[in-house]
Amino acid sequence: VSEENVANQAFNNSDIGLLKAEAMKNMALLNNVSINANNVALTEDYEPDGYLFMCADSMEVRRTLVKRWIMSQSTKAVFEMRMGADEMRVYVLRNYSDYSSWLKVSDYKDEEASESLCGSKTSVGATAGMAAMATVWQFLNVIKNVDTWSNETVIYTSPFDIVTRNF
Protein backbone atom coordinates (compact mmCIF):
# COMPACT_ATOMS: atom_id res chain seq x y z
CA VAL A 1 0.00 0.00 0.00
CA SER A 2 1.41 3.38 -0.97
CA GLU A 3 0.34 6.93 -0.11
CA GLU A 4 -1.75 7.45 -3.25
CA ASN A 5 -3.69 4.25 -2.45
CA VAL A 6 -5.09 5.90 0.71
CA ALA A 7 -6.88 8.60 -1.31
CA ASN A 8 -7.87 6.41 -4.24
CA GLN A 9 -8.60 3.05 -2.65
CA ALA A 10 -10.11 1.70 0.56
CA PHE A 11 -6.91 1.88 2.65
CA ASN A 12 -5.87 3.92 5.69
CA ASN A 13 -2.59 5.65 6.58
CA SER A 14 -1.81 2.77 8.95
CA ASP A 15 -1.82 0.42 5.93
CA ILE A 16 1.04 2.20 4.12
CA GLY A 17 3.88 -0.25 3.60
CA LEU A 18 1.74 -3.37 4.04
CA LEU A 19 1.02 -5.76 1.22
CA LYS A 20 -2.48 -5.00 -0.09
CA ALA A 21 -3.71 -8.53 0.62
CA GLU A 22 -2.55 -8.22 4.23
CA ALA A 23 -4.18 -4.79 4.62
CA MET A 24 -7.47 -6.19 3.26
CA LYS A 25 -7.25 -9.13 5.65
CA ASN A 26 -6.80 -6.70 8.56
CA MET A 27 -9.78 -4.67 7.35
CA ALA A 28 -11.91 -7.81 7.20
CA LEU A 29 -10.84 -8.79 10.74
CA LEU A 30 -11.99 -5.38 12.01
CA ASN A 31 -15.42 -6.39 10.72
CA ASN A 32 -15.28 -9.86 12.32
CA VAL A 33 -14.67 -11.57 8.98
CA SER A 34 -11.81 -14.02 8.55
CA ILE A 35 -10.24 -14.37 5.09
CA ASN A 36 -7.13 -16.00 3.69
CA ALA A 37 -4.73 -13.43 2.30
CA ASN A 38 -2.47 -14.93 -0.36
CA ASN A 39 0.62 -12.81 -0.80
CA VAL A 40 1.86 -14.44 -3.98
CA ALA A 41 3.07 -13.20 -7.32
CA LEU A 42 0.14 -13.66 -9.67
CA THR A 43 1.30 -15.09 -12.96
CA GLU A 44 -0.25 -17.15 -15.71
CA ASP A 45 1.05 -20.23 -13.87
CA TYR A 46 -0.74 -19.40 -10.60
CA GLU A 47 -3.51 -21.93 -9.95
CA PRO A 48 -6.54 -20.06 -8.57
CA ASP A 49 -9.08 -21.55 -6.23
CA GLY A 50 -12.62 -20.38 -5.54
CA TYR A 51 -13.68 -16.76 -5.94
CA LEU A 52 -11.15 -14.30 -7.31
CA PHE A 53 -11.15 -10.52 -6.99
CA MET A 54 -9.11 -8.84 -9.71
CA CYS A 55 -7.75 -5.40 -8.86
CA ALA A 56 -4.60 -5.24 -11.00
CA ASP A 57 -3.58 -1.78 -12.21
CA SER A 58 -2.72 -2.94 -15.74
CA MET A 59 -5.38 -3.93 -18.29
CA GLU A 60 -2.87 -6.22 -20.01
CA VAL A 61 -2.23 -8.04 -16.72
CA ARG A 62 -5.99 -8.27 -16.10
CA ARG A 63 -6.64 -9.79 -19.52
CA THR A 64 -3.82 -12.32 -19.14
CA LEU A 65 -4.77 -13.45 -15.64
CA VAL A 66 -8.53 -13.50 -16.16
CA LYS A 67 -8.07 -15.69 -19.27
CA ARG A 68 -6.00 -18.14 -17.23
CA TRP A 69 -8.29 -18.09 -14.23
CA ILE A 70 -11.63 -18.37 -16.03
CA MET A 71 -10.43 -21.58 -17.70
CA SER A 72 -9.36 -23.14 -14.39
CA GLN A 73 -11.66 -25.88 -13.09
CA SER A 74 -11.33 -24.55 -9.52
CA THR A 75 -12.44 -20.97 -10.32
CA LYS A 76 -16.05 -20.35 -9.31
CA ALA A 77 -16.16 -16.68 -10.38
CA VAL A 78 -13.89 -13.75 -11.16
CA PHE A 79 -14.85 -10.26 -9.93
CA GLU A 80 -13.11 -7.39 -11.70
CA MET A 81 -13.41 -3.72 -10.71
CA ARG A 82 -12.53 -0.47 -12.46
CA MET A 83 -12.77 3.06 -11.14
CA GLY A 84 -12.64 6.57 -12.51
CA ALA A 85 -13.44 9.98 -11.10
CA ASP A 86 -17.17 9.75 -11.84
CA GLU A 87 -17.93 6.10 -12.55
CA MET A 88 -17.05 2.61 -11.43
CA ARG A 89 -17.59 -0.78 -13.03
CA VAL A 90 -17.85 -4.26 -11.54
CA TYR A 91 -17.67 -7.33 -13.75
CA VAL A 92 -18.65 -10.88 -12.77
CA LEU A 93 -17.29 -13.67 -14.95
CA ARG A 94 -18.31 -17.27 -14.37
CA ASN A 95 -17.43 -19.03 -17.62
CA TYR A 96 -15.60 -18.69 -20.92
CA SER A 97 -18.62 -17.09 -22.61
CA ASP A 98 -18.59 -14.32 -19.96
CA TYR A 99 -14.85 -13.92 -20.53
CA SER A 100 -15.29 -13.54 -24.30
CA SER A 101 -17.88 -10.79 -23.80
CA TRP A 102 -15.74 -9.13 -21.11
CA LEU A 103 -12.84 -8.92 -23.58
CA LYS A 104 -14.96 -6.64 -25.79
CA VAL A 105 -15.19 -4.04 -22.99
CA SER A 106 -11.58 -4.61 -21.90
CA ASP A 107 -9.78 -4.07 -25.18
CA TYR A 108 -7.88 -0.88 -24.45
CA LYS A 109 -4.37 0.02 -23.40
CA ASP A 110 -3.33 1.29 -19.97
CA GLU A 111 -2.40 4.64 -21.54
CA GLU A 112 -6.04 5.15 -22.58
CA ALA A 113 -7.21 5.26 -18.94
CA SER A 114 -8.06 8.71 -17.60
CA GLU A 115 -5.05 10.47 -16.03
CA SER A 116 -5.25 13.28 -13.49
CA LEU A 117 -2.93 16.30 -13.48
CA CYS A 118 -0.77 14.74 -10.77
CA GLY A 119 -0.10 11.72 -13.00
CA SER A 120 -2.05 9.11 -11.06
CA LYS A 121 -5.24 7.42 -12.23
CA THR A 122 -8.20 9.67 -11.50
CA SER A 123 -10.41 8.29 -8.73
CA VAL A 124 -11.44 9.17 -5.20
CA GLY A 125 -11.93 7.29 -1.97
CA ALA A 126 -15.72 7.54 -2.15
CA THR A 127 -15.63 5.95 -5.60
CA ALA A 128 -13.52 3.10 -4.21
CA GLY A 129 -16.03 2.59 -1.39
CA MET A 130 -18.93 2.40 -3.83
CA ALA A 131 -17.03 -0.04 -6.08
CA ALA A 132 -16.28 -2.23 -3.06
CA MET A 133 -19.95 -2.13 -2.04
CA ALA A 134 -21.12 -3.15 -5.51
CA THR A 135 -18.54 -5.95 -5.66
CA VAL A 136 -19.56 -7.37 -2.29
CA TRP A 137 -23.23 -7.17 -3.31
CA GLN A 138 -22.50 -9.09 -6.52
CA PHE A 139 -20.36 -11.62 -4.61
CA LEU A 140 -23.15 -12.29 -2.09
CA ASN A 141 -25.66 -12.77 -4.91
CA VAL A 142 -23.34 -15.23 -6.66
CA ILE A 143 -22.57 -17.35 -3.58
CA LYS A 144 -26.25 -17.44 -2.60
CA ASN A 145 -27.17 -18.44 -6.18
CA VAL A 146 -29.50 -15.46 -6.39
CA ASP A 147 -30.51 -14.64 -9.95
CA THR A 148 -30.06 -10.89 -9.42
CA TRP A 149 -26.31 -10.82 -10.08
CA SER A 150 -25.23 -9.35 -13.40
CA ASN A 151 -22.10 -9.54 -15.52
CA GLU A 152 -21.65 -5.77 -15.47
CA THR A 153 -22.64 -3.13 -12.94
CA VAL A 154 -21.86 0.50 -13.81
CA ILE A 155 -22.35 3.19 -11.19
CA TYR A 156 -22.26 6.78 -12.44
CA THR A 157 -21.82 9.53 -9.87
CA SER A 158 -22.66 12.61 -11.95
CA PRO A 159 -25.60 12.34 -12.33
CA PHE A 160 -26.04 9.33 -10.07
CA ASP A 161 -27.26 6.25 -11.86
CA ILE A 162 -26.74 2.47 -11.70
CA VAL A 163 -26.89 0.34 -14.84
CA THR A 164 -26.59 -3.45 -14.94
CA ARG A 165 -26.49 -5.91 -17.79
CA ASN A 166 -25.68 -9.50 -18.59
CA PHE A 167 -23.48 -10.53 -21.48
Side-chain angles (χ1 to χ4, degrees), residues 16-46:
I16 295 174
L18 294 175
L19 295 170
K20 288 184 178 180
E22 203 58 41
M24 293 303 295
K25 178 180 178 178
N26 294 341
M27 192 180 311
L29 287 172
L30 289 173
N31 292 290
N32 297 317
V33 175
S34 178
I35 62 172
N36 292 327
N38 295 313
N39 296 316
V40 297
L42 299 179
T43 65
E44 284 187 77
D45 297 328
Y46 178 75

PDB file of all heavy atoms in Angstrom, residues 16-46:
ATOM      1  N   ILE A  16      -0.093   1.887   4.999  1.00  0.00           N
ATOM      2  CA  ILE A  16       1.040   2.204   4.124  1.00  0.00           C
ATOM      3  C   ILE A  16       2.220   1.294   4.466  1.00  0.00           C
ATOM      4  O   ILE A  16       2.594   1.138   5.611  1.00  0.00           O
ATOM      5  CB  ILE A  16       1.429   3.694   4.233  1.00  0.00           C
ATOM      6  CG1 ILE A  16       0.283   4.559   3.702  1.00  0.00           C
ATOM      7  CG2 ILE A  16       2.731   3.983   3.471  1.00  0.00           C
ATOM      8  CD1 ILE A  16       0.478   6.049   3.894  1.00  0.00           C
ATOM      9  N   GLY A  17       2.752   0.662   3.431  1.00  0.00           N
ATOM     10  CA  GLY A  17       3.880  -0.246   3.599  1.00  0.00           C
ATOM     11  C   GLY A  17       3.483  -1.709   3.684  1.00  0.00           C
ATOM     12  O   GLY A  17       4.321  -2.589   3.495  1.00  0.00           O
ATOM     13  N   LEU A  18       2.210  -1.981   3.983  1.00  0.00           N
ATOM     14  CA  LEU A  18       1.738  -3.371   4.039  1.00  0.00           C
ATOM     15  C   LEU A  18       1.452  -3.876   2.630  1.00  0.00           C
ATOM     16  O   LEU A  18       1.154  -3.102   1.723  1.00  0.00           O
ATOM     17  CB  LEU A  18       0.447  -3.472   4.860  1.00  0.00           C
ATOM     18  CG  LEU A  18       0.503  -3.160   6.352  1.00  0.00           C
ATOM     19  CD1 LEU A  18      -0.896  -3.205   6.948  1.00  0.00           C
ATOM     20  CD2 LEU A  18       1.430  -4.145   7.057  1.00  0.00           C
ATOM     21  N   LEU A  19       1.511  -5.178   2.457  1.00  0.00           N
ATOM     22  CA  LEU A  19       1.022  -5.763   1.216  1.00  0.00           C
ATOM     23  C   LEU A  19      -0.488  -5.563   1.179  1.00  0.00           C
ATOM     24  O   LEU A  19      -1.158  -5.643   2.211  1.00  0.00           O
ATOM     25  CB  LEU A  19       1.364  -7.244   1.153  1.00  0.00           C
ATOM     26  CG  LEU A  19       2.862  -7.565   1.097  1.00  0.00           C
ATOM     27  CD1 LEU A  19       3.083  -9.052   1.276  1.00  0.00           C
ATOM     28  CD2 LEU A  19       3.451  -7.093  -0.219  1.00  0.00           C
ATOM     29  N   LYS A  20      -1.045  -5.293   0.006  1.00  0.00           N
ATOM     30  CA  LYS A  20      -2.478  -5.004  -0.095  1.00  0.00           C
ATOM     31  C   LYS A  20      -3.332  -6.158   0.419  1.00  0.00           C
ATOM     32  O   LYS A  20      -4.340  -5.933   1.087  1.00  0.00           O
ATOM     33  CB  LYS A  20      -2.851  -4.649  -1.531  1.00  0.00           C
ATOM     34  CG  LYS A  20      -2.340  -3.279  -1.947  1.00  0.00           C
ATOM     35  CD  LYS A  20      -2.803  -2.912  -3.339  1.00  0.00           C
ATOM     36  CE  LYS A  20      -2.321  -1.523  -3.702  1.00  0.00           C
ATOM     37  NZ  LYS A  20      -2.765  -1.139  -5.051  1.00  0.00           N
ATOM     38  N   ALA A  21      -2.935  -7.381   0.139  1.00  0.00           N
ATOM     39  CA  ALA A  21      -3.713  -8.532   0.619  1.00  0.00           C
ATOM     40  C   ALA A  21      -3.736  -8.562   2.142  1.00  0.00           C
ATOM     41  O   ALA A  21      -4.766  -8.864   2.755  1.00  0.00           O
ATOM     42  CB  ALA A  21      -3.128  -9.830   0.070  1.00  0.00           C
ATOM     43  N   GLU A  22      -2.616  -8.228   2.767  1.00  0.00           N
ATOM     44  CA  GLU A  22      -2.548  -8.221   4.232  1.00  0.00           C
ATOM     45  C   GLU A  22      -3.397  -7.087   4.803  1.00  0.00           C
ATOM     46  O   GLU A  22      -4.099  -7.258   5.809  1.00  0.00           O
ATOM     47  CB  GLU A  22      -1.092  -8.079   4.684  1.00  0.00           C
ATOM     48  CG  GLU A  22      -0.820  -8.580   6.071  1.00  0.00           C
ATOM     49  CD  GLU A  22      -1.184 -10.045   6.285  1.00  0.00           C
ATOM     50  OE1 GLU A  22      -0.941 -10.899   5.414  1.00  0.00           O
ATOM     51  OE2 GLU A  22      -1.746 -10.336   7.350  1.00  0.00           O
ATOM     52  N   ALA A  23      -3.366  -5.925   4.167  1.00  0.00           N
ATOM     53  CA  ALA A  23      -4.183  -4.792   4.615  1.00  0.00           C
ATOM     54  C   ALA A  23      -5.671  -5.122   4.503  1.00  0.00           C
ATOM     55  O   ALA A  23      -6.463  -4.797   5.397  1.00  0.00           O
ATOM     56  CB  ALA A  23      -3.850  -3.539   3.802  1.00  0.00           C
ATOM     57  N   MET A  24      -6.063  -5.796   3.423  1.00  0.00           N
ATOM     58  CA  MET A  24      -7.469  -6.186   3.257  1.00  0.00           C
ATOM     59  C   MET A  24      -7.868  -7.229   4.301  1.00  0.00           C
ATOM     60  O   MET A  24      -8.984  -7.190   4.822  1.00  0.00           O
ATOM     61  CB  MET A  24      -7.713  -6.727   1.840  1.00  0.00           C
ATOM     62  CG  MET A  24      -7.559  -5.678   0.757  1.00  0.00           C
ATOM     63  SD  MET A  24      -8.626  -4.237   0.958  1.00  0.00           S
ATOM     64  CE  MET A  24     -10.228  -4.961   0.750  1.00  0.00           C
ATOM     65  N   LYS A  25      -6.967  -8.137   4.615  1.00  0.00           N
ATOM     66  CA  LYS A  25      -7.251  -9.125   5.648  1.00  0.00           C
ATOM     67  C   LYS A  25      -7.480  -8.432   6.987  1.00  0.00           C
ATOM     68  O   LYS A  25      -8.425  -8.754   7.715  1.00  0.00           O
ATOM     69  CB  LYS A  25      -6.087 -10.111   5.757  1.00  0.00           C
ATOM     70  CG  LYS A  25      -6.284 -11.153   6.841  1.00  0.00           C
ATOM     71  CD  LYS A  25      -5.095 -12.095   6.905  1.00  0.00           C
ATOM     72  CE  LYS A  25      -5.270 -13.111   8.026  1.00  0.00           C
ATOM     73  NZ  LYS A  25      -4.155 -14.066   8.069  1.00  0.00           N
ATOM     74  N   ASN A  26      -6.631  -7.450   7.316  1.00  0.00           N
ATOM     75  CA  ASN A  26      -6.797  -6.695   8.565  1.00  0.00           C
ATOM     76  C   ASN A  26      -8.124  -5.947   8.589  1.00  0.00           C
ATOM     77  O   ASN A  26      -8.796  -5.886   9.622  1.00  0.00           O
ATOM     78  CB  ASN A  26      -5.635  -5.716   8.756  1.00  0.00           C
ATOM     79  CG  ASN A  26      -4.308  -6.411   8.974  1.00  0.00           C
ATOM     80  OD1 ASN A  26      -4.252  -7.592   9.330  1.00  0.00           O
ATOM     81  ND2 ASN A  26      -3.231  -5.688   8.762  1.00  0.00           N
ATOM     82  N   MET A  27      -8.506  -5.387   7.440  1.00  0.00           N
ATOM     83  CA  MET A  27      -9.779  -4.670   7.352  1.00  0.00           C
ATOM     84  C   MET A  27     -10.947  -5.624   7.591  1.00  0.00           C
ATOM     85  O   MET A  27     -11.903  -5.292   8.292  1.00  0.00           O
ATOM     86  CB  MET A  27      -9.898  -3.998   5.983  1.00  0.00           C
ATOM     87  CG  MET A  27     -11.024  -3.008   5.870  1.00  0.00           C
ATOM     88  SD  MET A  27     -11.131  -2.247   4.223  1.00  0.00           S
ATOM     89  CE  MET A  27      -9.460  -1.728   3.903  1.00  0.00           C
ATOM     90  N   ALA A  28     -10.860  -6.807   7.014  1.00  0.00           N
ATOM     91  CA  ALA A  28     -11.913  -7.811   7.204  1.00  0.00           C
ATOM     92  C   ALA A  28     -12.004  -8.218   8.671  1.00  0.00           C
ATOM     93  O   ALA A  28     -13.102  -8.348   9.227  1.00  0.00           O
ATOM     94  CB  ALA A  28     -11.648  -9.031   6.331  1.00  0.00           C
ATOM     95  N   LEU A  29     -10.851  -8.402   9.323  1.00  0.00           N
ATOM     96  CA  LEU A  29     -10.842  -8.787  10.736  1.00  0.00           C
ATOM     97  C   LEU A  29     -11.497  -7.730  11.619  1.00  0.00           C
ATOM     98  O   LEU A  29     -12.153  -8.063  12.608  1.00  0.00           O
ATOM     99  CB  LEU A  29      -9.410  -9.062  11.202  1.00  0.00           C
ATOM    100  CG  LEU A  29      -8.787 -10.361  10.675  1.00  0.00           C
ATOM    101  CD1 LEU A  29      -7.304 -10.424  11.033  1.00  0.00           C
ATOM    102  CD2 LEU A  29      -9.528 -11.579  11.203  1.00  0.00           C
ATOM    103  N   LEU A  30     -11.330  -6.450  11.263  1.00  0.00           N
ATOM    104  CA  LEU A  30     -11.990  -5.377  12.006  1.00  0.00           C
ATOM    105  C   LEU A  30     -13.506  -5.500  11.941  1.00  0.00           C
ATOM    106  O   LEU A  30     -14.224  -4.987  12.797  1.00  0.00           O
ATOM    107  CB  LEU A  30     -11.565  -4.003  11.472  1.00  0.00           C
ATOM    108  CG  LEU A  30     -10.140  -3.565  11.780  1.00  0.00           C
ATOM    109  CD1 LEU A  30      -9.810  -2.273  11.036  1.00  0.00           C
ATOM    110  CD2 LEU A  30      -9.945  -3.390  13.280  1.00  0.00           C
ATOM    111  N   ASN A  31     -13.989  -6.183  10.909  1.00  0.00           N
ATOM    112  CA  ASN A  31     -15.424  -6.393  10.723  1.00  0.00           C
ATOM    113  C   ASN A  31     -15.841  -7.820  11.050  1.00  0.00           C
ATOM    114  O   ASN A  31     -16.871  -8.301  10.580  1.00  0.00           O
ATOM    115  CB  ASN A  31     -15.813  -6.034   9.285  1.00  0.00           C
ATOM    116  CG  ASN A  31     -15.693  -4.561   9.036  1.00  0.00           C
ATOM    117  OD1 ASN A  31     -16.470  -3.776   9.561  1.00  0.00           O
ATOM    118  ND2 ASN A  31     -14.689  -4.157   8.274  1.00  0.00           N
ATOM    119  N   ASN A  32     -15.011  -8.493  11.867  1.00  0.00           N
ATOM    120  CA  ASN A  32     -15.280  -9.861  12.323  1.00  0.00           C
ATOM    121  C   ASN A  32     -15.430 -10.865  11.183  1.00  0.00           C
ATOM    122  O   ASN A  32     -16.224 -11.801  11.267  1.00  0.00           O
ATOM    123  CB  ASN A  32     -16.518  -9.908  13.226  1.00  0.00           C
ATOM    124  CG  ASN A  32     -16.316  -9.093  14.482  1.00  0.00           C
ATOM    125  OD1 ASN A  32     -15.252  -9.149  15.087  1.00  0.00           O
ATOM    126  ND2 ASN A  32     -17.320  -8.326  14.858  1.00  0.00           N
ATOM    127  N   VAL A  33     -14.670 -10.656  10.109  1.00  0.00           N
ATOM    128  CA  VAL A  33     -14.669 -11.570   8.975  1.00  0.00           C
ATOM    129  C   VAL A  33     -13.253 -12.099   8.801  1.00  0.00           C
ATOM    130  O   VAL A  33     -12.300 -11.328   8.748  1.00  0.00           O
ATOM    131  CB  VAL A  33     -15.117 -10.859   7.680  1.00  0.00           C
ATOM    132  CG1 VAL A  33     -15.004 -11.780   6.482  1.00  0.00           C
ATOM    133  CG2 VAL A  33     -16.535 -10.332   7.829  1.00  0.00           C
ATOM    134  N   SER A  34     -13.121 -13.394   8.725  1.00  0.00           N
ATOM    135  CA  SER A  34     -11.814 -14.019   8.546  1.00  0.00           C
ATOM    136  C   SER A  34     -11.635 -14.438   7.090  1.00  0.00           C
ATOM    137  O   SER A  34     -12.500 -15.105   6.524  1.00  0.00           O
ATOM    138  CB  SER A  34     -11.686 -15.243   9.457  1.00  0.00           C
ATOM    139  OG  SER A  34     -10.444 -15.867   9.254  1.00  0.00           O
ATOM    140  N   ILE A  35     -10.536 -13.988   6.474  1.00  0.00           N
ATOM    141  CA  ILE A  35     -10.242 -14.372   5.094  1.00  0.00           C
ATOM    142  C   ILE A  35      -8.801 -14.857   5.008  1.00  0.00           C
ATOM    143  O   ILE A  35      -7.984 -14.555   5.876  1.00  0.00           O
ATOM    144  CB  ILE A  35     -10.455 -13.204   4.104  1.00  0.00           C
ATOM    145  CG1 ILE A  35      -9.502 -12.039   4.421  1.00  0.00           C
ATOM    146  CG2 ILE A  35     -11.892 -12.755   4.089  1.00  0.00           C
ATOM    147  CD1 ILE A  35      -9.517 -10.950   3.376  1.00  0.00           C
ATOM    148  N   ASN A  36      -8.503 -15.602   3.966  1.00  0.00           N
ATOM    149  CA  ASN A  36      -7.131 -16.002   3.686  1.00  0.00           C
ATOM    150  C   ASN A  36      -6.526 -14.982   2.746  1.00  0.00           C
ATOM    151  O   ASN A  36      -7.069 -14.736   1.669  1.00  0.00           O
ATOM    152  CB  ASN A  36      -7.081 -17.385   3.026  1.00  0.00           C
ATOM    153  CG  ASN A  36      -7.508 -18.481   3.971  1.00  0.00           C
ATOM    154  OD1 ASN A  36      -7.264 -18.401   5.169  1.00  0.00           O
ATOM    155  ND2 ASN A  36      -8.168 -19.493   3.434  1.00  0.00           N
ATOM    156  N   ALA A  37      -5.430 -14.378   3.147  1.00  0.00           N
ATOM    157  CA  ALA A  37      -4.731 -13.427   2.296  1.00  0.00           C
ATOM    158  C   ALA A  37      -3.548 -14.141   1.670  1.00  0.00           C
ATOM    159  O   ALA A  37      -2.660 -14.615   2.370  1.00  0.00           O
ATOM    160  CB  ALA A  37      -4.251 -12.228   3.122  1.00  0.00           C
ATOM    161  N   ASN A  38      -3.551 -14.256   0.349  1.00  0.00           N
ATOM    162  CA  ASN A  38      -2.470 -14.930  -0.355  1.00  0.00           C
ATOM    163  C   ASN A  38      -1.524 -13.904  -0.947  1.00  0.00           C
ATOM    164  O   ASN A  38      -1.852 -13.250  -1.929  1.00  0.00           O
ATOM    165  CB  ASN A  38      -3.032 -15.826  -1.466  1.00  0.00           C
ATOM    166  CG  ASN A  38      -3.859 -16.949  -0.905  1.00  0.00           C
ATOM    167  OD1 ASN A  38      -3.441 -17.612   0.028  1.00  0.00           O
ATOM    168  ND2 ASN A  38      -5.045 -17.144  -1.456  1.00  0.00           N
ATOM    169  N   ASN A  39      -0.384 -13.746  -0.319  1.00  0.00           N
ATOM    170  CA  ASN A  39       0.616 -12.810  -0.801  1.00  0.00           C
ATOM    171  C   ASN A  39       1.548 -13.533  -1.759  1.00  0.00           C
ATOM    172  O   ASN A  39       2.646 -13.927  -1.406  1.00  0.00           O
ATOM    173  CB  ASN A  39       1.408 -12.228   0.380  1.00  0.00           C
ATOM    174  CG  ASN A  39       0.516 -11.426   1.296  1.00  0.00           C
ATOM    175  OD1 ASN A  39      -0.305 -10.653   0.829  1.00  0.00           O
ATOM    176  ND2 ASN A  39       0.653 -11.613   2.581  1.00  0.00           N
ATOM    177  N   VAL A  40       1.084 -13.734  -2.979  1.00  0.00           N
ATOM    178  CA  VAL A  40       1.863 -14.443  -3.979  1.00  0.00           C
ATOM    179  C   VAL A  40       1.936 -13.601  -5.250  1.00  0.00           C
ATOM    180  O   VAL A  40       1.067 -12.762  -5.504  1.00  0.00           O
ATOM    181  CB  VAL A  40       1.240 -15.822  -4.318  1.00  0.00           C
ATOM    182  CG1 VAL A  40       1.244 -16.727  -3.117  1.00  0.00           C
ATOM    183  CG2 VAL A  40      -0.165 -15.672  -4.854  1.00  0.00           C
ATOM    184  N   ALA A  41       2.978 -13.841  -6.025  1.00  0.00           N
ATOM    185  CA  ALA A  41       3.068 -13.196  -7.323  1.00  0.00           C
ATOM    186  C   ALA A  41       2.057 -13.873  -8.240  1.00  0.00           C
ATOM    187  O   ALA A  41       2.072 -15.087  -8.400  1.00  0.00           O
ATOM    188  CB  ALA A  41       4.480 -13.340  -7.883  1.00  0.00           C
ATOM    189  N   LEU A  42       1.166 -13.097  -8.798  1.00  0.00           N
ATOM    190  CA  LEU A  42       0.144 -13.657  -9.669  1.00  0.00           C
ATOM    191  C   LEU A  42       0.666 -13.687 -11.095  1.00  0.00           C
ATOM    192  O   LEU A  42       0.934 -12.654 -11.692  1.00  0.00           O
ATOM    193  CB  LEU A  42      -1.134 -12.829  -9.581  1.00  0.00           C
ATOM    194  CG  LEU A  42      -1.763 -12.759  -8.196  1.00  0.00           C
ATOM    195  CD1 LEU A  42      -3.010 -11.900  -8.225  1.00  0.00           C
ATOM    196  CD2 LEU A  42      -2.069 -14.137  -7.665  1.00  0.00           C
ATOM    197  N   THR A  43       0.822 -14.882 -11.598  1.00  0.00           N
ATOM    198  CA  THR A  43       1.305 -15.086 -12.955  1.00  0.00           C
ATOM    199  C   THR A  43       0.334 -16.007 -13.679  1.00  0.00           C
ATOM    200  O   THR A  43      -0.600 -16.532 -13.081  1.00  0.00           O
ATOM    201  CB  THR A  43       2.700 -15.738 -12.949  1.00  0.00           C
ATOM    202  OG1 THR A  43       2.572 -17.058 -12.393  1.00  0.00           O
ATOM    203  CG2 THR A  43       3.683 -14.919 -12.116  1.00  0.00           C
ATOM    204  N   GLU A  44       0.594 -16.227 -14.940  1.00  0.00           N
ATOM    205  CA  GLU A  44      -0.245 -17.152 -15.707  1.00  0.00           C
ATOM    206  C   GLU A  44      -0.193 -18.555 -15.126  1.00  0.00           C
ATOM    207  O   GLU A  44      -1.122 -19.335 -15.290  1.00  0.00           O
ATOM    208  CB  GLU A  44       0.207 -17.194 -17.164  1.00  0.00           C
ATOM    209  CG  GLU A  44      -0.213 -15.979 -17.958  1.00  0.00           C
ATOM    210  CD  GLU A  44       0.111 -16.140 -19.419  1.00  0.00           C
ATOM    211  OE1 GLU A  44      -0.625 -16.868 -20.112  1.00  0.00           O
ATOM    212  OE2 GLU A  44       1.099 -15.540 -19.859  1.00  0.00           O
ATOM    213  N   ASP A  45       0.883 -18.889 -14.431  1.00  0.00           N
ATOM    214  CA  ASP A  45       1.050 -20.227 -13.867  1.00  0.00           C
ATOM    215  C   ASP A  45       0.354 -20.407 -12.517  1.00  0.00           C
ATOM    216  O   ASP A  45       0.221 -21.524 -12.038  1.00  0.00           O
ATOM    217  CB  ASP A  45       2.541 -20.554 -13.696  1.00  0.00           C
ATOM    218  CG  ASP A  45       3.257 -20.571 -15.039  1.00  0.00           C
ATOM    219  OD1 ASP A  45       2.619 -20.930 -16.051  1.00  0.00           O
ATOM    220  OD2 ASP A  45       4.441 -20.224 -15.072  1.00  0.00           O
ATOM    221  N   TYR A  46      -0.083 -19.320 -11.903  1.00  0.00           N
ATOM    222  CA  TYR A  46      -0.743 -19.400 -10.599  1.00  0.00           C
ATOM    223  C   TYR A  46      -2.055 -20.162 -10.746  1.00  0.00           C
ATOM    224  O   TYR A  46      -2.867 -19.856 -11.620  1.00  0.00           O
ATOM    225  CB  TYR A  46      -0.981 -17.991 -10.043  1.00  0.00           C
ATOM    226  CG  TYR A  46      -1.705 -17.980  -8.723  1.00  0.00           C
ATOM    227  CD1 TYR A  46      -1.058 -18.319  -7.552  1.00  0.00           C
ATOM    228  CD2 TYR A  46      -3.045 -17.633  -8.654  1.00  0.00           C
ATOM    229  CE1 TYR A  46      -1.714 -18.314  -6.331  1.00  0.00           C
ATOM    230  CE2 TYR A  46      -3.719 -17.615  -7.442  1.00  0.00           C
ATOM    231  CZ  TYR A  46      -3.047 -17.959  -6.291  1.00  0.00           C
ATOM    232  OH  TYR A  46      -3.700 -17.954  -5.084  1.00  0.00           O
TER     233      TYR A  46
END
